Amino acid sequence: MGLGYVGLPLAVEKAKAGFRTIGFDVQKEKVDMVNAGHNYIGDVVDRDLTTLVEDGLLTATTDFVFIRDVDFVAICVPTPLDAHQQPDISYVESSARSIAEYLHPGMMVVLESTTYPGTTEELIKPILESSGLKCGEDFYLGFSPERVDPGNLIYKTKNTPKVVGGLGEDASEVISAMYEAVLQGEVFRASSPAVAEMTKILENTYRNINIGLINELAILCHKMGIDLWEVIEAAKTKPFGFTPFYPGPGLGGHCIPLDPYYLSWKAREYGFHTSMIESSMMINDRMPEYCVERIGDMLNKRFSKALNGAKVLVLGVAYKQDIDDYRESPAIRVIEELKKEGAEVRFYDPCIPRYRHKGAWYDGEDKLTAELLEGSDIVVITTAHTTVDYDFVQEHARAVFDTKNAMKAVSRRDNIEIL
């Protein structure tokens, strides 16, 4: 259920393992593309999808009725934050209610969507049991966090280790057996869904906090005139006790910027404030504004020019390099902040020709030309795409603010400043 960055790759792997697989999505265009064998997810091999559809092992639908005929359901729907930065689990709840209508004895139901600890047992279980069937006796329920890392060339859905937390030993065993029949990665059996839910939150909160630390140090090192990127390279030589994290214009993607909010929200139920987590979130959330301040300083010091009316070219709107995913991308926040200051902003991204934000579409530049670079007062690198010729950028740009150290190999640096 859900044919996005999590659901479609999982559906493909299950079909490749020989299981007749059905993908559900409310977006008819996605369903039509899958049924036509047309791939839209970077981590799925085009030919795999086409072959599976042609062989009848993978189909897609917008009709919930299909659930009555299946033995295993994986819920892979979005779990965004609402306008108040609180968990929006309406998609998960809606999915559970739809499953309950067609739940039958022996069915396995697994939630893969990232959420707060307790969701499976406190929300999903009562909804499914409203069908009259009893969890642990008539059907199996568990949580198995998705661990998709778009663009990762080594770890894909197939070979990434899986964590499974079932409600009861039988649920853990049958759900784990299903994943073991499909995936190459090890399956770790957690003692409960809550442990598995907290596992996903821990993984991404760990990264959020460490990125917050390094972003704060980036601000301090700039004030002190120290190159933090060189500091990180030096610290990396220690063979133990240090894991490198890197600064940037903020956090993007569907997990790291969101997951700590789930934990912070749930913690308040217990009268507990996650002070360290909330501090890192505040630092990371402010990075787009800090980057715009730095851009303004560069324009002022180099050209005696204000941001208001300045021509700014942003390189990259994807939230990480070499992918076409711009969910929660800090680059879009940077663009918004620049426009608030009156700057004329254009963008170029080799992976994303246009993006949608707050209901409107924004078109990028077709090519990265000398004219485009020379006609901009400043170039801001917000995504370190490896397909961009950074020597070319340096040669033709009046000034470059590099938030990702993408130009570290460029020898001439008189017009470059790094975050």
Side-chain angles (χ1 to χ4, degrees):
M1 299 180 67
L3 292 173
Y5 287 86
V6 176
L8 185 59
L10 183 62
V12 166
E13 291 303 332
K14 290 187 180 296
K16 284 169 68 176
F19 293 101
R20 182 167 178 269
T21 306
I22 303 170
F24 169 85
D25 202 283
V26 294
Q27 298 183 44
K28 187 176 183 299
E29 56 269 30
K30 285 186 177 180
V31 168
D32 290 342
M33 288 182 73
V34 171
N35 287 331
H38 295 156
N39 177 40
Y40 50 87
I41 297 294
D43 286 348
V44 172
V45 177
D46 294 358
R47 187 59 201 164
D48 284 351
L49 179 63
T50 302
T51 300
L52 293 169
V53 170
E54 290 175 349
D55 291 347
L57 285 169
L58 178 60
T59 57
T61 182
T62 57
D63 187 356
F64 270 114
V65 176
F66 79 90
I67 295 174
R68 66 187 177 195
D69 300 320
V70 303
D71 304 298
F72 180 98
V73 179
I75 302 172
C76 305
V77 296
T79 49
L81 298 173
D82 65 17
H84 304 288
Q85 302 296 295
Q86 294 183 348
D88 176 5
I89 53 172
S90 58
Y91 300 103
V92 170
E93 183 175 355
S94 175
S95 298
R97 295 193 184 283
S98 298
I99 294 169
E101 291 183 41
Y102 303 100
L103 193 68
H104 59 74
M107 182 184 284
M108 292 175 270
V109 179
V110 181
L111 176 61
E112 288 217 3
S113 305
T114 302
T115 184
Y116 58 84
T119 303
T120 304
E121 193 160 4
E122 297 167 9
L123 177 71
I124 305 298
K125 179 173 175 276
I127 291 175
L128 295 183
E129 288 189 330
S130 69
S131 66
L133 299 179
K134 189 166 181 59
C135 180
E137 296 179 10
D138 301 311
F139 66 92
Y140 306 103
L141 176 62
F143 180 82
S144 183
E146 59 88 1
R147 285 172 158 175
V148 173
D149 184 18
N152 194 313
L153 300 179
I154 299 174
Y155 289 105
K156 307 287 187 182
T157 299
K158 180 77 171 177
N159 65 341
T160 300
K162 209 79 167 84
V163 174
V164 170
L167 270 170
E169 187 176 342
D170 288 348
S172 290
E173 285 304 313
V174 296
I175 293 170
S176 295
M178 178 63 186
Y179 283 113
E180 286 169 338
V182 173
L183 308 176
Q184 292 175 344
E186 167 194 4
V187 176
F188 179 92
R189 290 160 171 78
S191 60
S192 68
V195 170
E197 289 160 344
M198 184 63 90
T199 297
K200 179 61 185 293
I201 298 293
L202 170 60
E203 291 169 2
N204 288 319
T205 301
Y206 164 80
R207 295 182 67 187
N208 191 304
I209 288 175
N210 280 282
I211 293 170
L213 167 66
I214 212 71
N215 276 333
E216 188 167 54
L217 287 177
I219 297 171
L220 175 61
C221 283
H222 174 66
K223 291 180 178 293
M224 299 175 70
I226 297 172
D227 183 345
L228 176 62
W229 299 90
E230 185 180 354
V231 172
I232 296 170
E233 290 303 305
K236 279 169 57 178
T237 63
K238 186 179 181 181
F240 54 89
F242 180 80
T243 301
F245 287 83
Y246 301 93
L251 290 178
H254 64 298
C255 286
I256 299 176
L258 276 59
D259 292 5
Y261 283 99
Y262 287 101
L263 186 57
S264 180
W265 176 82
K266 185 65 175 179
R268 290 198 291 273
E269 182 179 317
Y270 298 87
F272 187 87
H273 289 280
T274 53
S275 55
M276 182 181 293
I277 297 172
E278 290 171 18
S279 294
S280 69
M281 288 153 56
M282 287 190 292
I283 294 166
N284 292 328
D285 285 348
R286 190 186 174 278
M287 287 307 291
E289 294 175 0
Y290 172 73
C291 288
V292 171
E293 291 172 8
R294 289 281 303 274
I295 295 165
D297 289 343
M298 283 185 66
L299 287 169
N300 186 26
K301 290 175 182 177
R302 287 174 178 263
F303 312 119
S304 298
K305 190 175 183 64
L307 258 177
N308 190 1
K311 295 179 179 179
V312 181
L313 175 64
V314 172
L315 292 188
V317 293
Y319 81 82
K320 63 185 287 191
Q321 68 183 46
D322 301 335
I323 65 170
D324 61 357
D325 191 348
Y326 57 85
R327 288 174 295 172
E328 306 296 329
S329 175
I332 295 174
R333 281 273 314 280
V334 170
I335 291 173
E336 276 191 311
E337 293 299 323
L338 285 168
K339 288 180 177 179
K340 284 180 185 177
E341 296 298 324
E344 298 178 19
V345 186
R346 292 181 290 180
F347 80 88
Y348 170 76
D349 190 306
C351 301
I352 302 173
R354 65 199 304 251
Y355 69 87
R356 190 180 186 190
H357 183 60
K358 295 181 178 179
W361 283 98
Y362 298 90
D363 294 315
E365 302 297 319
D366 295 331
K367 293 181 180 179
L368 186 60
T369 64
E371 292 75 18
L372 180 61
L373 292 164
E374 291 166 357
S376 303
D377 294 309
I378 190 167
V379 175
V380 183
I381 299 173
T382 45
T383 312
H385 288 304
T386 59
T387 54
V388 173
D389 184 343
Y390 292 109
D391 284 300
F392 179 79
V393 172
Q394 186 281 325
E395 180 184 355
H396 294 283
R398 297 184 65 199
V400 180
F401 180 50
D402 185 357
T403 72
K404 302 295 290 184
N405 203 23
M407 302 182 77
K408 59 185 175 184
V410 176
S411 55
R412 184 181 171 187
R413 311 191 61 81
D414 57 295
N415 59 344
I416 301 171
E417 286 190 27
I418 57 175
L419 177 63

